[in-house]
């Protein structure tokens, strides 16, 4: 038998600070793994006559997962009729039909192409009166609890270490609420809004605690621009100045990355 070469064999799996780490050849392979895990869970629950509660994310990161779920629905009889969804966040204010709306994003990138029931879809409402936001957020938490809690939460990560729109100084006990967006986050969104001046200053987001209450958490990160925050999140101390570090306390969290996002992690020093 020839000696195996030093070439990377994907995926690479490791664990560090309680966080499962998986590095894939590219984002598309990682997305397939996440979509397959979701499909398996949805089918298991359907066979047991039970709902499957998914926490969903927006942004460029989860799009490959949604594409794959749509393909599975079309080609492999995957039904999402037993799925209940709760999206992480929405800009505030935001009209649902606006180009940057997360309602529109979810419809165009997933819901319009699968058989999820509209009454099972929940997305924070960017149109409510400001004085009603508190009650809306309390109700959002109650609806998650009434659904039995989130089975699997999808996450991206912002360069500030935000998860959802939980910006630095969001503590572990935060729940769904209105937040002020960080300037890094607003700058990163500026292109989508045709200029920084059009980016809302506020958002409604699930809290860190809401996210940590999920049974499983799958965070995806792709690209070199995410490598520094991934390294800080996995290798740094737990701190509210990097809300994603609270994921170290969860117990069933996996980061699925491409090589570029994982490039600052020294994976040879972590155990399998
Ligand atoms: P992105 O955003 O997927 O567009 O990179 C991730 C995030 O800000 O959480």
């Amino acid at each position: 038998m020839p000696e195996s070469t030093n070439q990377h064999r994907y995926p690479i799996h490791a664990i560090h600070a309680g966080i499962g780490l998986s590095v894939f050849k590219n984002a598309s392979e990682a997305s397939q793994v996440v979509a397959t895990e979701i499909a398996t869970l949805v089918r298991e629950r359907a066979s047991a006559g039970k709902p499957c509660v998914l926490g969903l994310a927006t942004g460029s990161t989860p799009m490959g997962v949604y594409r794959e779920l749509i393909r599975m629905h079309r080609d492999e009889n995957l039904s999402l009729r037993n799925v209940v969804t709760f999206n992480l966040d929405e800009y505030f204010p935001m009209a649902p039909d606006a180009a940057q709306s997360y309602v529109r994003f979810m419809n165009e990138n997933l819901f319009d192409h699968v058989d999820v029931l509209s009454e099972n879809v929940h997305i924070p409402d960017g149109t409510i009166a400001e004085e009603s936001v508190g009650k809306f957020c309390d109700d959002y938490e109650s609806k998650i609890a009434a659904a039995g809690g989130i089975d699997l939460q999808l996450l991206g990560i912002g360069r500030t270490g935000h998860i959802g729109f939980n910006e630095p100084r969001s503590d572990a006990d935060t729940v769904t609420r209105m937040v002020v967006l960080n300037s890094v986050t607003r700058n990163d969104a500026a292109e989508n809004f045709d200029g920084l001046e059009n980016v809302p200053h506020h958002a409604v987001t699930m809290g860190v605690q809401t996210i940590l209450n999920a049974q499983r958490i799958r965070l995806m990160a792709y690209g070199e621009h995410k490598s520094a925050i991934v390294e800080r999140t996995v290798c740094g101390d737990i701190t509210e100045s990097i809300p994603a570090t609270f994921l170290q306390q969860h117990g069933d969290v996996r980061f699925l990355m491409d090589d570029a996002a994982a490039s600052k992690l020294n994976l040879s020093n972590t155990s399998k």
Side-chain angles (χ1 to χ4, degrees), residues 99-163:
Q100 303 85 2
S101 146
Y102 289 164
V103 172
R104 182 164 170 174
F105 176 98
M106 290 308 302
N107 287 339
E108 290 181 351
N109 289 290
L110 181 63
F111 299 146
D112 286 351
H113 311 283
V114 292
D115 59 346
V116 68
L117 303 174
S118 58
E119 63 265 33
N120 287 345
V121 166
H122 307 87
I123 302 178
D125 186 351
T127 70
I128 43 182
E130 212 166 321
E131 62 270 22
S132 307
V133 171
K135 162 129 182 38
F136 178 89
C137 293
D138 292 349
D139 288 349
Y140 206 71
E141 290 285 331
S142 303
K143 284 178 186 168
I144 294 172
I150 292 170
D151 293 307
L152 189 150
Q153 176 69 54
L154 283 186
L155 289 181
I157 185 168
R159 291 191 303 130
T160 60
H162 74 204
I163 45 176

Side-chain angles (χ1 to χ4, degrees), residues 58-62 155-159 162-165 185 222 225-226:
T58 49
S60 56
T61 305
L155 289 181
I157 185 168
R159 291 191 303 130
H162 74 204
I163 45 176
F165 273 135
T185 299
Y222 307 128
H225 64 299
K226 297 290 174 80

Side-chain angles (χ1 to χ4, degrees), residues 229-261:
I229 194 61
V230 162
E231 192 276 338
R232 177 65 187 81
T233 298
V234 173
C235 301
D237 291 340
I238 297 173
T239 166
E240 63 179 32
S241 60
I242 313 271
T245 58
F246 290 118
L247 296 171
Q248 294 181 22
Q249 299 173 326
H250 181 265
D252 190 350
V253 55
R254 178 162 294 279
F255 285 15
L256 299 99
M257 299 164 282
D258 62 5
D259 245 348

